[in-house]
Amino acid sequence: MSEHEQDQYDWLRLSLTKGIGNETARKLLSAFGLPSQIFSTEFSQLVEHIPAKLAHALLQAPNDAMKAQIALTQQWLQQPGNHLLSLADTEYPAQLLTIPDPPLLLYAKGRIDLLHVDTIAVVGSRNATAQGVLNAEKFSECLSDAGICISSGLAAGIDAAAHAGALRGKGATIAVIGTGADIVYPARNRQLAHQIVEQACLLSEYPLGTPAIAGNFPRRNRIISGLAKGVLVVEAAAQSGSLITARMAAEQGREVFAIPGSIHSPLAKGCHQLIKQGAKLVESAQDILDELRFSMPSQQVDVPLQQSVPDHADNELLSIIGYDPVHIDHLALRSGIDLADLSAQLLTLELQGLIETLPSGMFQRVSGY
């Protein structure tokens, strides 16, 4: 085993030792140095810093399960584009070193150079509206064109839209996942995940083979925000995982941005709550660039929050719908159109992508860009 491989082995052994979390590991590293030095430390010295039970666990030889996990990881690292970054590595993202609980190890697939560029996190609801998806895509594409990397969590809805928009721009994206780096979740995002690995970076703090466990996803949010200089919340319900990310961002000293929406939309409640608490209301990507003093290429056209589609600006029914969710009965009263004709017109507008039907059964206009 080469010196580098032995070093990887020791870091993996430390991270996989039962009961040794990030905080305990950092305490040991601070006291004794690298993992190899921790494992050669006397029991009497270890118990000055950690409980005896943990000291015994550290000094025991790796069991078969740990050996198999380490072997699996070292085999995975032989594949091109796969990386294991420890707190001691120069490639470890400096931004994460400033947060209260930086991961001990990062499993990365793809471009680890992206871990050192200016980044904005874009997060939001898994059950996003068509408007929210469009906002996430366009804001991310615009920021990407300005050379900003977009971090998000590869979840359905806003996260996936943010990654897709970033990949269409000139920049790139980092997907921080809540499973092992060898697992794609949700499965519907498999193609997107492969595209991210080929063009950008996929990142996880969890050992290979770690399945989708509910508690891991809120925890990974601190990495999404930690990598970034600011977090943009696109859509979020009043009780939302995106609000956890925003809270973590504020605790980490990052800027928090939120896109406002209709006062009648449940998915705008979280954003409005954040704005009330001091998040910056944004209507364009330029608002974010200005606040964080990022420069934008002069040839780029900024993305507004809402701009009606010129080709359909004279559509009378669209004007009647407005921008708030509306029930078909109310539309019938406003327009004077009988329900049968109104349903047909609404279907046509939906097929054209100009409106969407919300889970509540109400209709909402979708602004174009």
Side-chain angles (χ1 to χ4, degrees):
M1 188 181 295
S2 69
E3 183 178 347
H4 178 61
E5 289 173 331
Q6 182 63 54
D7 185 54
Q8 288 178 337
Y9 187 100
D10 292 335
W11 277 100
L12 287 164
R13 178 183 169 187
L14 178 62
S15 71
L16 295 170
T17 299
K18 189 175 181 180
I20 303 295
N22 286 335
E23 184 178 354
T24 302
R26 290 195 303 272
K27 183 188 296 184
L28 291 168
L29 292 166
S30 178
F32 303 109
L34 294 173
S36 59
Q37 295 167 295
I38 294 172
F39 293 124
S40 62
T41 299
E42 296 289 335
F43 176 82
S44 59
Q45 293 177 283
L46 289 175
V47 293
E48 293 178 7
H49 300 272
I50 59 175
K53 182 179 179 180
L54 293 183
H56 280 300
L58 277 172
L59 296 179
Q60 285 180 349
N63 59 26
D64 289 343
M66 183 186 289
K67 288 179 181 177
Q69 183 67 36
I70 294 175
L72 173 68
T73 304
Q74 293 194 314
Q75 183 179 9
W76 178 82
L77 288 169
Q78 298 305 310
Q79 301 172 27
N82 291 349
H83 310 271
L84 183 70
L85 307 178
S86 74
L87 282 170
D89 285 321
T90 56
E91 293 92 351
Y92 192 95
Q95 280 283 100
L96 287 186
L97 295 176
T98 68
I99 70 174
D101 186 20
L104 183 66
L105 291 177
L106 290 170
Y107 299 75
K109 292 177 69 70
R111 293 176 52 192
I112 58 175
D113 63 293
L114 295 176
L115 302 176
H116 304 278
V117 303
D118 289 333
T119 299
I120 295 292
V122 178
V123 298
S125 174
R126 287 176 170 81
N127 301 310
T129 66
Q131 185 68 69
V133 167
L134 187 58
N135 286 342
E137 288 178 350
K138 293 300 183 178
F139 269 75
S140 297
E141 182 177 0
C142 189
L143 291 168
S144 177
D145 275 335
I148 307 300
C149 184
I150 301 299
S151 63
S152 197
L154 198 63
I158 297 301
D159 287 16
H163 292 306
L167 290 172
R168 283 201 298 270
K170 296 180 180 178
T173 189
I174 300 170
V176 184
I177 60 176
T179 64
D182 55 339
I183 294 176
V184 175
Y185 179 85
R188 74 178 80 170
N189 286 342
R190 187 175 305 278
Q191 183 175 352
L192 176 61
H194 290 165
Q195 187 179 1
I196 290 171
V197 169
E198 290 174 3
Q199 301 179 31
C201 182
L202 185 144
L203 199 66
S204 174
E205 68 174 316
Y206 297 108
L208 299 180
T210 301
I213 301 170
N216 288 350
F217 291 91
R219 182 163 174 73
R220 64 89 199 262
N221 291 352
R222 80 191 194 288
I223 302 176
I224 295 174
S225 58
L227 288 167
K229 294 191 174 181
V231 174
L232 171 64
V233 182
V234 178
E235 278 187 338
Q239 303 295 327
S240 166
S242 301
L243 301 189
I244 297 176
T245 310
R247 175 178 55 79
M248 289 178 172
E251 292 172 353
Q252 294 166 348
R254 277 43 169 175
E255 294 288 348
V256 179
F257 306 94
I259 298 177
S262 166
I263 61 172
H264 304 293
S265 171
L267 290 178
K269 299 294 185 184
C271 290
H272 293 172
Q273 179 181 326
L274 290 173
I275 291 168
K276 290 176 183 177
Q277 294 170 349
K280 293 175 174 60
L281 183 155
V282 294
E283 296 180 316
S284 70
Q286 189 64 51
D287 292 338
I288 299 172
L289 296 170
D290 290 344
E291 182 66 30
L292 295 177
R293 295 180 173 81
F294 292 145
S295 60
M296 190 175 206
S298 57
Q299 70 269 23
Q300 292 299 328
V301 178
D302 192 30
V303 177
L305 174 60
Q306 291 186 332
Q307 175 182 313
S308 58
V309 182
D311 290 346
H312 302 275
D314 59 349
N315 187 293
E316 184 177 350
L317 183 54
L318 278 179
S319 299
I320 294 172
I321 291 172
Y323 289 97
D324 280 350
V326 61
H327 194 276
I328 189 170
D329 291 341
H330 292 159
L331 277 178
L333 288 173
R334 291 181 194 174
S335 64
I337 304 172
D338 69 75
L339 284 175
D341 287 344
L342 181 57
S343 295
Q345 291 187 42
L346 289 172
L347 178 59
T348 299
L349 291 175
E350 189 164 11
L351 291 173
Q352 292 174 337
L354 299 175
I355 64 171
E356 63 176 315
T357 305
L358 302 177
S360 63
M362 301 178 84
F363 295 91
Q364 179 172 289
R365 186 171 177 172
V366 178
S367 297
Y369 291 91

